Structure formats: structure tokens, C-alpha cells
Amino acid sequence: MSETKRAAILKAARASFLKDGYSRAAMAEIARDADVSTATLYKHFASKDDLFAAIVHEAYDDTSSSMFVDVSTMNARDVLRNIATIYTRQQFDERMNDLLRVVIAEVPSAPHLAREIYENGVLARYRQFQAVVDTLVARGDLKPHDTNASTRYLAGMVKEFVTWPGLFSTEFTRPADIDTKIDACIDAWLTIYVAAPQTGSRLQEDKSGT
């Protein structure tokens, strides 16, 4: 029952923050919408900061299991496409752009909250992505390079079409040609970092279509 209540609180709080923003969202109203007492809400989350951070982290965690999967049977291009596709779905379908807009709006009044979400959300996601790229380097699909930088290069290209427009416009929706744009980003990135093809390599098999 406790987990059920926690889930109800997170659902109600997410709707409240997206509708009213962080500053105007009220803990008492969130408790009412979640059908729990205010005491129960504070039993799970000590403050509004903790509650909002939990919502953002939940949004990141919900997609991590499908974004960063076992890549042992996937070629490099498919690994990157899977990550980019799920990231795109998160930003649009799960309204991550809207949540990030709320975070950015609170930087002047709650810099500690924005910093915590950046460090434990955004940077954590980069570290997960880098670990995947390191795996592709270790198995020979990509040439050795600065993977900390390269993951940000690819993420930056994708964000130009997925995240940045959404942060500055509430009317921005998923582009009809987003898959084509993402593939172009991945192909450009692979042109720089792909290792020299070797007989039997996954990347060579992908290019040959066999």
C-alpha cells in the first residue's frame, strides 16, 4: 500500500508541476489529488524539493532500462539509434522537455534543486551513455578516442532537433522527419569514430546488409 501511495503522489505531483510550475504547486493540493493525507505525503517526501527531484529522476530511470540495454548482439549503429529513439520518446511523449523547462525556471530561486537534477539526472545519463560507447570501443566497433567528449557531440546534435526547440516553445511537437534527422546525426558521428572494418565485425556486417 505504501508503494501504491507513493506512486499516486508522484503522479499527482507531476501533473501539478507541469500545470502550475514549481513555485505555484502546493503540497496540500498534491496530497488531495493523490487521495492521501498531507502527513502521508511528507512521510514519503520531506519537502517540495525532494518531491520534484523524485519526479525528474523517475522520468530518467523509467527509460534507462530500455535505453541502455545489453548491446552484445547489436551493431554500433543500432545501439546508437536505440538510445536516440528512446531519448526522443522521453522528451516528447513523457514531456521531459516540459519538466526541464520547470527546472530552468527555478534556477534563480532554487539553484540547489537545479544543480542536483543536473548532476544526478543529466550528467548521470551522460555517464551511462559513455559506458555504452566505451563498450563499443572495447570490442572494436569504434576506434579509441575521448568518449567523454564524443558522447556529448552526438547528444548535442540530437538535442538540436529534439530538446532545444522544445525548451523555448510550448507549441513545439515531434518533427515528422525526426527519424531521418537522427539517422543523419548518427551517420555523421560514425564517420568520425568508426573503427576500420575488420572481417566479421558487426559494423561490416551491418554495412554489407548480411
Side-chain angles (χ1 to χ4, degrees):
M1 181 61 71
S2 179
E3 285 302 312
T4 300
K5 289 182 178 180
R6 186 179 189 278
I9 292 169
L10 287 173
K11 181 179 179 180
R14 195 175 197 276
S16 179
F17 286 126
L18 286 173
K19 176 177 177 290
D20 300 322
Y22 177 83
S23 299
R24 294 189 300 275
M27 294 290 269
E29 292 182 6
I30 292 172
R32 182 199 62 205
D33 293 342
D35 196 25
V36 300
S37 67
T38 303
T40 296
L41 189 156
Y42 279 105
K43 178 181 178 181
H44 287 278
F45 303 99
S47 67
K48 187 162 71 169
D49 281 8
D50 290 344
L51 178 54
F52 184 73
I55 290 168
V56 177
H57 292 321
E58 181 186 50
Y60 279 112
D61 292 342
D62 282 349
T63 56
S64 290
S65 59
S66 53
M67 184 181 289
F68 302 106
V69 297
D70 179 9
V71 302
S72 60
T73 61
M74 303 169 66
N75 61 61
R77 183 175 282 103
D78 285 348
V79 169
L80 299 175
R81 186 183 291 118
N82 177 68
I83 291 173
T85 298
I86 294 173
Y87 173 79
T88 300
R89 186 183 70 207
Q90 179 193 52
Q91 300 304 111
F92 289 111
D93 298 347
E94 299 178 28
R95 300 186 66 184
M96 194 63 182
N97 283 339
D98 295 336
L99 282 175
L100 290 178
R101 198 182 301 113
V102 174
V103 174
I104 293 170
E106 295 305 319
V107 170
S109 59
H112 60 288
L113 176 62
R115 183 170 55 253
E116 195 274 336
I117 290 172
Y118 176 69
E119 292 176 351
N120 296 308
V122 176
L123 294 185
R125 179 58 54 81
Y126 277 132
R127 288 191 294 271
Q128 290 174 304
F129 186 16
Q130 183 180 354
V132 172
V133 175
D134 285 337
T135 297
L136 296 177
V137 171
R139 77 183 192 190
D141 286 11
L142 304 176
K143 62 187 178 183
H145 65 277
D146 181 355
T147 56
N148 179 57
S150 71
T151 52
R152 292 165 187 264
Y153 296 154
L154 180 54
M157 286 192 287
V158 173
K159 287 180 179 180
E160 284 296 327
F161 301 106
V162 174
T163 303
W164 288 111
L167 292 181
F168 289 95
S169 173
T170 58
E171 304 301 319
F172 181 68
T173 59
R174 182 198 304 268
D177 61 346
I178 190 61
D179 291 339
T180 300
K181 287 184 168 67
I182 287 177
D183 282 342
C185 293
I186 292 172
D187 287 341
W189 190 89
L190 286 173
T191 299
I192 300 172
Y193 296 109
V194 68
Q198 299 177 2
T199 301
S201 72
R202 289 182 180 84
L203 190 60
Q204 185 184 57
E205 291 170 358
D206 178 52
K207 286 184 175 180
S208 66
T210 58

